[in-house]
Amino acid sequence: MSSSTLLLGQTLSFTGDPFLGSPAEAARHDPHGAVLIANGRIADLGSADHLRKTHPAATVRDYGTAIVTAGFIDAHVHYPQTAIIGSWGARLIDWLQRYTFPEESKFDSEAYARSIARQFVRTILSNGTTSFSTFCTSHPASADAIMTECHTQNLRVAGGLTCMDRNVPTALQDTPQSAYDNSKSLIDRWHGVGRLTYAITPRFAPTSSPDQLAALGTLWAEHPECLMQTHLSEQREEIDWVRTLYPNFSDYLHIYEHFGLLGAGGLYGHAIHLADREKARLRESGGAIIHCPTSNMFIGSGLLPVRAAKAAGLPVGLATDIGGGSSFSMLHTMAAAYEISQLTNAPLHPAQLLWLATIGNATILQMQMHIGNLAPGLEADLVIIDPHSRPDIEAAANHADDIWELLFPTIMMGDDRAILDVWIAGRRINRG
Ligand code: GUN
Ligand code: ZN
């Protein structure tokens, strides 16, 4: 018989969508809870007393008052931008030209791609992120590097070759045919291997010709099991540029729609400045807006009203968008989402923030059958959060009346010292 492990702590899981009713009622909290792990999965969830009695042979790991919940998921990130986080003083187009494209050009070196992939994965794990969807560069080796690293570490991850055939330096430029061919062979090599998913990835309309968007739309139609990720309506200057490049389209989303790049499994980063028609088409098609709050502030893009988007029926994910984003931490990203929600007069409840970073993102990445919550049968990707990790918030933690008052100061600190432990498919990982 294989061995099992019983984690004890304050278990926190979701039974519903906290945007649909009273946020706290969508969650289940047990201050003396337990999660039983066997064969890499959650085998049982219940009270510590009950599970200790029913599984006396399990190895017990007692986390005391720490919170046991699903690992964080980052729905939009650029792992190749790890080394340009915090690049000062530019807006989107200038930032891409000044910092991003020169850094991404370095990924013609396989050794460099492998070293950044390793560094990125180590960093996100230390912040409690167990899954993500990443852009790569236009070099197939950049996709191989992150897929290899994630496969080795048994992470459930999505990623894809970033396709761009114009308006980028020659060293990064591909063609419609090479983007199609290289993406297709990467799908064959990686999609469904271990826990990996392939995401077809046109960078955004300004860096893809109509022929390239058409080729990638064809590829998505041939592989509907894959995700599709891109950027949409992030900054006003970008939208003006798109209008000059694609003058015959009614709006930005219409371009993706026309070329077969709109649908469920479509992930549209930022999507801040949308017309009513675009919102309606996203809602009808099931395409998801990915909110990137630290990036939207860092590059000066704007404030997305998340509650209004959810109330309008749009699927919304949450992401760091490294390296436009200014933190690898999903705790910090939740804090930034909260601050933006305050500035848009519709504050997000901590349950809504945690839901976005776990089951919400899992659903958007079409991984909710595997990860994103504490429930029997799901893979045991877990994070253990210590709400007493910093002396300066100890007083606040001590007078908390419920789990949300206890957790919220830790969210707002966004500090990786709060991440006590991370479990990947039932294996406690060494984050050293
Ligand atoms: N739009 C196109 N490429 C990028 C990128 O790398 N980062 C961000 N934030 N926006 C983009
Ligand atoms: Zn991005």
Side-chain angles (χ1 to χ4, degrees), residues 81-98:
Q81 297 173 13
T82 294
I84 56 159
I85 189 168
S87 296
W88 185 85
R91 287 177 66 80
L92 176 63
I93 296 162
D94 185 28
W95 175 84
L96 286 169
Q97 286 164 354
R98 207 189 311 168

Side-chain angles (χ1 to χ4, degrees), residues 93-151:
I93 296 162
D94 185 28
W95 175 84
L96 286 169
Q97 286 164 354
R98 207 189 311 168
Y99 301 113
T100 311
F101 295 150
E103 178 61 19
E104 292 192 8
S105 299
K106 296 182 189 167
F107 285 70
D108 62 347
S109 157
E110 279 182 44
Y112 189 68
R114 277 199 302 271
S115 87
I116 295 289
R118 214 168 297 133
Q119 186 184 331
F120 172 77
V121 168
R122 196 183 322 121
T123 306
I124 58 105
L125 286 173
S126 73
N127 282 285
T129 297
T130 50
S131 287
F132 53 86
S133 185
T134 188
F135 287 62
C136 299
T137 69
S138 51
H139 312 94
S142 71
D144 285 329
I146 192 71
M147 291 305 206
T148 301
E149 181 65 21
C150 294
H151 189 46

